[in-house]
Amino acid sequence: MTIETKPQVDSRSSVTYTDARLNANIPAGPIEQKWSKHKFEMKLVNPANRRKYTIIVVGTGLAGGAAAATLGEMGYNVQAFCYQDSARRAHSIAAQGGINAAKNYRNDGDSVYRLFYDTIKGGDFRAREANVYRLAELSVNIIDQCVAQGVPFAREYSGYLDNRSFGGAQVARTFYARGQTGQQLLIGAYQSLSRQVAAGTVKLNERTEMLDVIVIDGRARGIITRDMVTGKIESHVADAVILATGGYSNVFYLSTNAKGCNVTAAWRAHKRGAFFANPCYTQIHPTCIPVSGDHQSKLTLMSESLRNDGRVWVPKQAGDNRAPEQIPEDERDYYLERRYPSYGNLAPRDISSRAAKQVCDEGRGVGPGGLGVYLDFSDAIKRLGENAIRARYGNLFDMYERITGENPYKSPMRIYPAVHYTMGGLWVDYNLMSTIPGLFVGGEANFSDHGANRLGASALMQGLADGYFVLPSTIGNYLATGGYDKVDQSHPAVQEALNEVTQRTQKLLDINGTRSVDSFHRELGNIMWEYCGMSRTKEGLTHALKLIPELREQFWNDVRVLGSGNELNQELEKAGRVADFIELGELMCRDALERAESCGGHFREESQTPDGEALRNDDEYCYVSAWEHMGDPSQAVLHKENLEFENVKLATRSYK
């Protein structure tokens, strides 16, 4: 993997240069053999020696829970941490539609290579080939693992596992459990984790938030945490650390993520030396319940799986406010089917979201404020019957009716795009290790597999692949090649990190300003959505880079955090997270400004085709942007990992 070596300077004086830490460590050989060859060549830890090593796992969703359970079963001493009151409340539980795997049960032409190709193409050719192929290769093992755990996947009448289609694919490869796939998969991982907790190989620390990484002699050797009930700040040392803490969509304030989802663990690691990759790559999900007012603190996702049977449309005429049942068929615009006939309503998320925004901008949106399109199931109900639709999506329909008061069996759902997933994250190499040796990153917290856009049903696939199959192998190799001394809490670097977290926490409490934490978060979200949301411009991003530093200065001078640090204090928790979001928001805008092309979820209005499609610039931007912290987001240094495509030909992405 070649690295950019030509120094460059952008409009904000960021320097681009090579760095030995930005080595992807991709194995040599044919892509089909890279992972198996690499596993054989990696060093192993003798089973009798594994109990001598301690591994910290932060996050207990699919990636973290699977990693902790597997490492515990292998015989390592594992310390697992989550801020929820139970590992079962990790946000993986919210995933609805399914998990991809190249099993080809439908005999419709699927294969490991086709899943690999669809994922590379779906990410707009901005992901590493080797990582993506490994993901596709491991997908077939994930399903077997989950079935063995008792995950109740949907089955056909014959008893075979059922599949359905998702966006960006022309085969049926998505395994599902109604609209509760994430929940059922997480229960499976949680059962495995609980077994290891009972066996004594895993210690589970709940209601505990990570606030810093301990770095000693350039290696990650532990974390600093705060007990969210008592307020006690503590240090924990280990031989390696895994971060599996999810994504950062809540930088936009309104997103489909749970309110507790945050970037703090990843951002504090970034400030300790972990490069942050592709922060501007944000996924806008096209199938969400529209915003209903300023009172909302989050948005609700309606699974992409609904687009298998639901047809998306708006009135052909702007300003047509008739009820949907009063609009005849010839006055409806099924715009996805019209614009993308090969994929229709299952066009990828970034494309479908921009198409929805476009028709609403034309004045053809439906519902309050014209910010919505119809997702109509009337054809499917006529063809299959209401009972069949209820069996496939019943819980999703019930959720929609409870929130909106509208019966989707009788009238179309109203949906609109919303922030959902972040493809960016901490930079990792092929072994999922960050630029801090000993700090590994799994699941949505890393950047590795989805490029500029994630295909639906691939998040669960990546989380479980990382947790069950990749990290247990690569961490063993790291430990076996270590050669470093053991440390304990008395080490000066541990005490220094402990003091820094304590001082930062007290600083938030001492400001005693006039504005609430939520008011700052909402203002940041408005800036991010307006200037770094579904579409971006040079002028808008430049303006955001003026507003965000001003907001950060106001925050550190005028935020009001009630209570103390020695108790349960949710305002204090939020304050720390929002402070990190503000800094992240600035880096996201810098990254979006630097990348003057359109690709996947990053759409620069200056870079589009005459018919409004994204226009990539492979000559200048076929790279991973990896940012190094230099004390302030405005001073971050950009490094580039050039992407090379040897197995897939770079091509204009088309779903028409």
Side-chain angles (χ1 to χ4, degrees):
M1 183 66 67
T2 59
I3 309 298
E4 177 72 27
T5 58
K6 182 181 177 182
Q8 298 179 359
V9 179
D10 73 5
S11 59
R12 295 184 63 81
S13 300
S14 69
V15 179
T16 305
Y17 61 90
T18 186
D19 192 300
R21 291 169 291 178
L22 209 63
N23 180 359
N25 290 314
I26 297 173
I31 196 167
E32 299 87 355
Q33 301 173 16
K34 287 184 186 294
W35 177 235
S36 56
K37 181 173 179 285
H38 188 54
K39 283 194 295 181
F40 177 75
E41 292 175 345
M42 284 191 292
K43 294 185 180 297
L44 302 175
V45 178
N46 186 292
N49 289 334
R50 292 173 190 163
R51 67 179 69 95
K52 300 177 183 179
Y53 293 99
T54 298
I55 302 171
I56 286 174
V57 180
V58 186
T60 57
L62 289 182
T70 306
L71 291 165
E73 190 163 4
M74 293 173 71
Y76 294 104
N77 291 312
V78 179
Q79 291 266 0
F81 295 82
C82 68
Y83 65 76
Q84 297 92 350
D85 58 1
S86 168
R88 278 187 58 180
R89 293 185 181 272
H91 193 57
S92 299
I93 201 171
Q96 298 170 342
I99 176 172
N100 287 331
K103 285 286 197 181
N104 195 29
Y105 281 175
R106 290 290 184 89
N107 195 29
D108 56 1
D110 201 10
S111 64
V112 168
Y113 190 87
R114 187 177 293 278
L115 175 53
F116 157 67
Y117 178 80
D118 286 347
T119 306
I120 288 284
K121 176 183 176 183
D124 219 349
F125 301 91
R126 290 294 178 261
R128 272 197 215 123
E129 282 190 338
N131 288 66
V132 176
Y133 190 89
R134 177 176 62 187
L135 176 64
E137 181 182 356
L138 291 173
S139 70
V140 297
N141 299 330
I142 294 169
I143 302 303
D144 296 338
Q145 170 92 3
C146 295
V147 169
Q149 291 174 334
V151 174
F153 287 120
R155 294 180 181 267
E156 297 176 341
Y157 180 76
S158 62
Y160 289 111
L161 296 182
D162 196 11
N163 293 115
R164 57 190 179 198
S165 297
F166 255 63
Q170 291 182 308
V171 296
R173 64 163 66 103
T174 304
F175 296 77
Y176 66 97
R178 296 185 77 190
Q180 306 170 339
T181 312
Q183 179 181 6
Q184 299 302 329
L185 291 173
L186 186 60
I187 289 172
Y190 178 73
Q191 289 175 153
S192 296
L193 181 62
S194 297
R195 180 171 177 268
Q196 296 310 310
V197 171
T201 62
V202 176
K203 181 182 178 184
L204 186 57
N205 302 272
E206 296 157 327
R207 300 295 291 156
T208 307
E209 183 171 26
M210 174 192 146
L211 296 180
D212 211 342
V213 178
I214 299 169
V215 179
I216 299 175
D217 297 329
R219 296 177 182 264
R221 300 304 304 272
I223 62 173
I224 305 296
T225 63
R226 179 178 181 272
D227 186 309
M228 296 166 67
V229 177
T230 67
K232 185 177 181 181
I233 297 174
E234 297 179 294
S235 60
H236 307 267
V237 297
D239 298 290
V241 177
I242 297 173
L243 297 187
T245 51
Y248 49 87
S249 290
N250 278 348
V251 68
F252 290 89
Y253 186 73
L254 287 179
S255 83
T256 64
N257 286 200
K259 284 299 292 179
C261 294
N262 63 83
V263 76
T264 288
W267 191 252
R268 304 292 171 86
H270 171 58
K271 296 176 83 167
R272 288 290 181 185
F275 289 5
F276 210 110
N278 298 335
C280 77
Y281 287 164
T282 307
Q283 179 162 90
I284 312 295
H285 198 296
T287 317
C288 301
I289 298 178
V291 176
S292 60
D294 291 339
H295 63 283
Q296 282 185 276
S297 60
K298 75 175 301 293
L299 299 173
T300 303
L301 175 70
M302 289 284 102
S303 169
E304 182 173 300
S305 63
L306 293 169
R307 293 194 278 148
N308 274 281
D309 290 304
R311 301 179 69 192
V312 180
W313 65 276
V314 292
K316 287 184 177 180
Q317 295 299 319
D320 189 341
N321 296 320
R322 289 177 291 175
E325 60 272 11
Q326 296 176 351
I327 300 177
E329 191 74 13
D330 61 356
E331 296 182 30
R332 301 179 178 187
D333 180 13
Y334 295 91
Y335 59 88
L336 290 177
E337 299 173 30
R338 170 175 56 82
R339 293 182 60 176
Y340 309 103
S342 293
Y343 287 77
N345 297 299
L346 286 174
R349 293 175 177 179
D350 59 321
I351 289 173
S352 300
S353 292
R354 287 196 296 272
K357 180 180 185 297
Q358 181 178 339
V359 296
C360 290
D361 289 347
E362 293 170 356
R364 297 193 287 144
V366 301
L371 293 178
V373 300
Y374 287 129
L375 182 61
D376 195 336
F377 293 87
S378 57
D379 284 356
I381 291 173
K382 289 176 184 176
R383 184 178 71 254
L384 303 170
E386 184 175 315
N387 288 338
I389 299 301
R390 192 179 297 275
R392 293 177 182 178
Y393 314 112
N395 62 306
L396 297 170
F397 278 46
D398 292 343
M399 185 191 310
Y400 181 88
E401 185 170 10
R402 289 192 186 113
I403 292 172
T404 65
E406 301 169 7
N407 183 349
Y409 294 103
K410 303 301 180 184
S411 60
M413 289 183 179
R414 288 178 296 105
I415 57 170
Y416 192 71
V419 178
H420 176 58
Y421 188 91
T422 49
M423 285 71 68
L426 294 182
W427 184 92
V428 292
D429 64 6
Y430 188 73
N431 294 323
L432 302 187
M433 188 163 71
S434 72
T435 49
I436 302 176
L439 179 67
F440 294 78
V441 190
E444 191 179 354
N446 73 36
F447 88 102
S448 67
D449 292 352
H450 306 297
N453 174 65
R454 177 177 66 79
L455 293 183
S458 288
L460 304 184
M461 176 175 61
Q462 184 208 350
L464 291 179
D466 289 355
Y468 282 135
F469 300 107
V470 181
L471 287 167
S473 295
T474 58
I475 284 218
N477 178 67
Y478 169 77
L479 296 174
T481 55
Y484 48 86
D485 296 331
K486 294 285 185 178
V487 298
D488 57 30
Q489 273 83 358
S490 64
H491 194 284
V494 176
Q495 294 303 311
E496 181 183 355
L498 199 62
N499 291 336
E500 288 181 11
V501 169
T502 302
Q503 292 169 10
R504 179 185 175 93
T505 302
Q506 191 59 48
K507 183 179 179 180
L508 288 168
L509 292 164
D510 289 344
I511 296 172
N512 198 30
T514 63
R515 290 185 58 180
S516 70
V517 175
D518 282 338
S519 72
F520 282 102
H521 195 180
R522 187 182 290 275
E523 184 173 345
L524 173 67
N526 289 336
I527 295 170
M528 295 301 296
W529 179 251
E530 179 68 24
Y531 302 113
C532 197
M534 215 180 316
S535 63
R536 297 105 184 247
T537 65
K538 178 180 180 180
E539 291 75 19
L541 292 166
T542 303
H543 186 55
L545 287 169
K546 176 178 179 294
L547 296 177
I548 295 174
E550 293 173 354
L551 182 67
R552 182 175 57 179
E553 183 177 359
Q554 293 174 29
F555 176 89
W556 284 105
N557 285 282
D558 199 28
V559 72
R560 184 174 181 84
V561 181
L562 301 175
S564 74
N566 302 317
E567 60 183 344
L568 174 66
N569 190 339
Q570 293 184 317
E571 285 301 300
L572 178 59
E573 297 162 18
K574 287 194 294 183
R577 296 168 187 170
V578 171
D580 294 330
F581 276 140
I582 293 173
E583 294 183 357
L584 167 68
E586 184 172 352
L587 187 65
M588 290 174 66
C589 292
R590 286 198 63 198
D591 190 45
L593 182 60
E594 174 76 24
R595 188 174 288 277
E597 66 162 350
S598 293
C599 58
H602 169 65
F603 187 76
R604 285 285 294 268
E605 293 182 14
E606 304 94 333
S607 300
Q608 55 182 303
T609 63
D611 58 349
E613 301 294 338
L615 183 63
R616 288 200 327 263
N617 182 347
D618 294 330
D619 292 337
E620 296 185 55
Y621 298 102
C622 194
Y623 61 76
V624 174
S625 61
W627 293 87
E628 180 181 11
H629 183 72
M630 301 298 287
D632 186 277
S634 66
Q635 303 302 317
V637 172
L638 173 62
H639 305 256
K640 297 177 181 179
E641 176 198 336
N642 285 349
L643 292 169
E644 297 177 354
F645 292 91
E646 301 173 351
N647 299 274
V648 174
K649 182 181 178 181
L650 279 169
T652 300
R653 184 170 171 240
S654 175
Y655 291 91
K656 296 185 175 182

